[in-house]
Amino acid sequence: MAGTVDCSFIRTLINRYCAGEDNWVDSRTIYVGHKEPPPGAAEAYNPQKYPDNRIVSSKYTFWNFIPKNLFEQFRRIANFYFLIIFLVQLIIDTPTSPITSGLPLFFVIIVTAVKQGYEDWLRHKADSAMNQCPVHFIQHGKLVRKQSRKLRVGDVVMVKEGETFPCDLIFLSSSREDGTCFVTTASLDGESSHKTYYAVQETKGFQTAEDIDSLHATVECEQPQPDLYRFVGRITVYRRRSEPIVRSLGSENLLLRGASLKNTEKIFGVAVYTGMESKMALNYQSKSQKRSAVEKSMNVFLVVYLCILITKAVINTVLKYVWESDPFQDEPWFNQKTESERERNRFLKAFTDFLAFMVLFNYIIPVSMYVTVEMQKFLGSYFLSWDEEMIDEETGEGPLVNTSDLNEELGQVEYVFTDKTGTLTENNMEFIECCIEGNVYVPHVICNGQILPDSGGIDMIDSSPGVSGKEREELFFRAVCLCHTVQVKDDVAVDGTKMSPDSSKSCIYISSSPDEVALVEGIQRLGFTYLRLKDNYMEILNRENDVERFELLQTLNFDSVRRRMSVIVKSPTGDIFLFCKGADSSIFPRVTEGKIDQVRSRVERNAVEGLRTLCVAYKKLTQEDYDEICETLQLAQVALQEREKKLAEAFEKIETDLILLGATAVEDRLQEKAGDTIEALQKAGIKVWVLTGDKMETAAATCYACKLFRRNTQVLELTTKKIEEQNLHDVLLELSKTVLNYSNMSRDSFSGLSNEMQDYGLIIDGAALSLIMKPPQPGNYRELFLEICRNCSAVLCCRMAPLQKAQIVKLIKLSKEHPITLAIGDGANDVSMILEAHVGIGVFGKEGRQAARNSDYAIPKFKHLKKILLVHGHFYYIRIAELVQYFFYKNVCFIFPQFLYQFFCGFSQQPLYDTAYLTLYNISFTSLPILMYSLLEQHVSSDMLKRDPSLYRDIAKNALLRWRVFIYWTFLGVFDALVFFFGAYLMIENTSMTINGQVFGNWTFGTLVFTVLMFTVTFKLVLDTYYWTWINHFVIWGSLIFYIIFSLLWGGIIWPFLSYQRMYFVFMQMLSSGPAWMTIILLVIASLLPDILKKVLGRHLWPTATERTQTKHQCLSVEQSTIFMLSQTSSSLSF
Amino acid sequence: MAWSATSPGANQPDNTAFTQQRLPAWQPLLSAGITLPLFFCVGLAFIGLGLGLYYSSNGIKEIEYDYTGEPGIGNCTACARVGERVAPPHPNCTCQWCFSLPELFQGPVFLYYELSNFYQNNRRYVVSRDDEQLSGLASALRHPANECAPYQRTPTGLPIAPCGAIANSLFNDSFKLLYQRQPNGPYDEVPLDRTGIAWWTDYHVKFHNPAPINGSLKLAFHGTAKPPNWPRPVYDLSPDPNNTGFVNQDFVVWMRTAALPTFRKLYARIRHVNYSAGLPRGTYCVNITYNYPVLAFGGQKRIIFSSISWMGGKNPFLGIAYLTFGSLCIITGFVMLIVYIRYQDENGDGDEDE
């Protein structure tokens, strides 16, 4: 989020400078149809320049592609490093030809450039298709077709059904009489439900092109900003003979580019934001980059290797000068220098020597590692999206990978922060009961799909209400029936008169909040059916099957701060009512009358059972009251600045002195296997926190239901109520004492039986959290709080605002152990925490796709979290860990002999291997086996990983990339290099290795070392591979065969394009020597022995959980195959 | 070691075993059960091989003599002093090394020379050659590669053929072997076979003389200069017209740069019918024509007679390495056996069982 804000800030800055300092204003004024307002009516008007309606999502143009793309690629440190090495090779005289580093580098650069170029070409195509699609304009009262890109701010546009809006439009009029239209914003935020937008009241009569042309109006609105759901503006409509009318404009009047028109024949609108300023374009900005822990440790290792590289180069340079201080060594008679070499500046020479050594050893940091890691991540992420077990049976939707950079982070998660509603629970609400003045009503369950129509459908649990009770009861039902923003789907309710109670059940209600739908449906079962909203009249069908029409005067929309909503309606009898519905905490303080205590006790009881409760209250208004309210609201709605704040104040004023009617209870069922998943995560050593906006009791009940809290969990509370009693400091101290005492005790008497451990659960609410996070006492309380949290197995945070969720995640993320956090949620209120956490996971929710869109990975259901972490995350982690370690290992093996060789060639930078081997070693000889390993390896089967979540602990805390492991691999590499080099050295020293007495030269020596290296490094991978598919066999043996064939070819022919023929027949001569074969076999086995020994001893003496599982699995399969064989033999015997 | 089952949905096109990560796979486990026998087998095999290698290496005889001529040692001192700290060419100087063989020196016998502290693998030296020139390319003959500098052209600008430091420093000592069958008897010259000392492919494919002009190699090299340290131009390298120019056995052998600063190069084979079984008992003298200065750079020269087995020259390393490694395998095998048995017992229920 921060990224987008920054970008838009920069954008506004740029705009400001482009437009000129003086012209900059906070709002823009648009003349509808470019008609200037009547003189005198307009205030000072600053003409502004607006961009045309071209969308440019492409990054490059034909001309700047090469420089810009190259610049961006070389901004990566690794690429830059290789470029420098390449340039050094070009400029100074270095031992290896520039091809050895240039070829791989350019391969990488070109592949990346082609990929990016292709993507950009696709974007160009999409852009031009979008920019050239025809749009209907109104020009001088006539309809004109033009290309979309020619659209300008102020143009009046006509859009037909099914078309998408070409830019952000102020909705002027619609073919529907009520001035509404339906829109899906599927391409914007993924919500496929129809949303209703409202035309400006004063212009909704302008239905034809001629009409529109006569419209004379000015729109003032804020400058573009990326928030899709926010818009502030006002429209001034000038009329010929009267005062201009000013109307406020909100997001319900703004049709967004990218959305498409549904269920409405055509609409007219005026363009306000065009091209790159449309809200869709502003939302293109990419999210800030997240980097995984593996990548971080990889970079640390790189630095270590860079230090090793520099050390090696320095050592060799110094030794070179020590060695050369003897003139007979430096320049013996058989090896004279040229004049220019003699005259060269000593220091310059030392420096170029240093660079030459750097170049000689630079392969220790391989270019191909980056390519392989990228490819592994990219290709590997397909396995996640292909996984059929993660496809939701109902919707057929599979998991979505938005970034593949974080694959392995899924195997490292230590904290899971989950949203409750829609994530842990289904967000599929069912009306359970309502409580009116202490009497409880339960609607009958559906019998055979039929709902009993009459009042028999109500079971009254408590005593029957009196006469006034009856009145209240009906008022309650009407209140629930009216106080909502539910829409009735159009195509069903074609004709209101044909409605009968029996058919009414087929009404389909649509709302942004599933609670409301549940309530309206529930009330329908209690006899009151909401039919539709027509011409500002809400029609409901009462128990006597009469249609009652209420005029909808005002809607005070729901927001998450107020946590309530209200409607003001005028009843058929002319009374004006304000109905208010909201969370108990926001209703009770505003209630002055009603049976508060009874309702409260019922609400609390329901909350404990995990039901979602809402309280309903009302207030009767006199006409004068209403007029006053109207005025307040009008004032607030027209305000251009701080409208939200003013509105909130107005609502606050209006919703007071209410009379409590009753409460409703809606059940939100747990998602299937939610408890199972949480249990598995906890077994895997992951701490699960629930962050919710719900009230404490409901949330706690859900936590018990989904096994986050168990029966033996001691629940600690850190709530506002408690803090009011004692002060925060004391509460925190007390809690920490409880928790820490226990954990000390358990540490003393730790016997390894974790089952007996008392675990703690913590409940904290938003208010208490903000007290803890308050800046005046920095560190102190936070540390204490973190200490408590760390010792609790489960934490529940309730009453959280969206930003507080992110705050919690950040608090944990930045605590001193730097744990890896994961946030999972489904709603827009979870976006901030999804963006904040190391890994953000979105659940395809009922409340829209915003969470999924902003997440790194999106999954259909909460239960899939188990597989994505325990199986996919685990696999990804072990694969990439091996990939990284192996890459460093094989390059130590590769380069260290070259370093050693310098001691035997007078530090003259003579390379040990031929150029072809230097170039191809990383690119083709050893790249595929490790890539395939890192895509396919499964050291434990996925079923096993799911069955035994504790295996996840084996890789926790970056276990496979710790320093100890890294040093082991590096030393193994150094050991192997010593074996290769000195083995070959002792072999070739002072003797002939062939039967005909001929001797070998330096290139044979290098080839011998290289052959041993190739086989050792490949066999090391053979030892590490546990899951041998045919692909592994193919690439591993294929690589070795390729090496042999290549070497035979490379040495078998005099290559005409080469100026040197040093490898001619070297490989064949080596193979013709018996001792060379013996040496290769000996050295390969000798270098592998320590690793085999470590593996076998480790497995038997200190087996990890993973290794135990492997062994067990092996036993099982052996048994099975034995049984199978036995049954085979027995069956054959019976014949 | 099991083939895990293929998923039931494996035959659906877009839902294959591959995409579901359920490809059938062989899952070997590196457990003690498998590695133990392997260790013992490898250990025994290596010890067997090692013994064979060790004895065959021991069967190889070598006689070597340092004829560097450091003061007080041998009779090459005078020659060495003449050429001390002076670059070749030198006036011819000869010295002699005599030795006696108490028994037959089993053939085939090979004659090597060994130089030490001679950095043929110094990069400046290794690159100082022009393979195109050596392959007989006419253009390269006139325009040697820049890597050859400072042995690219003479001060007068003539191209040097063969160019470069390697060619320039061609080893030019020569040896003559004399055999005295009876004590105080006459010395017979033992014929040295100077063919077949270079790689066949180098001699026949890689190295070529430029096309002779009017049948004369000399004319082909017209317009080029000899390397500064050579006494003769390249076309006079050997009196044998088939073994001169670039295609000269000694030259080709020298041009294959050695891997290490101390190296041997093959000088000749002793294959004459009289000596096909080896060098018989008796006294031998080697007449050395001492041309090549090595004291200048602190080097040493040696002459070596060596026999050859199926595994090449004398090299005890391989045998010893195999023996050591084989016994190491057996020892670790025993250690692992102990570990295996003990922990098997402790874990009881065959947890570690294979």
Side-chain angles (χ1 to χ4, degrees), chain B residues 253-274:
Chain B
V253 166
W254 183 255
M255 291 306 282
R256 182 152 291 282
T257 49
L260 299 166
T262 298
F263 60 88
R264 281 180 192 185
K265 286 192 187 288
L266 187 55
Y267 183 76
R269 301 181 290 171
I270 297 166
R271 301 209 306 171
H272 193 265
V273 253
N274 293 346

Side-chain angles (χ1 to χ4, degrees), chain A residues 826-866:
Chain A
D826 73 319
N829 59 343
D830 305 315
V831 170
S832 57
M833 82 171 170
I834 284 175
L835 290 176
E836 182 65 48
H838 290 101
V839 188
I841 293 198
V843 174
F844 298 133
K846 291 214 168 67
E847 294 176 11
R849 287 292 173 93
Q850 252 191 318
R853 219 157 36 103
N854 285 292
S855 63
D856 302 310
Y857 301 90
I859 50 177
K861 286 271 154 63
F862 183 74
K863 66 172 175 178
H864 296 129
L865 191 64
K866 182 175 168 184

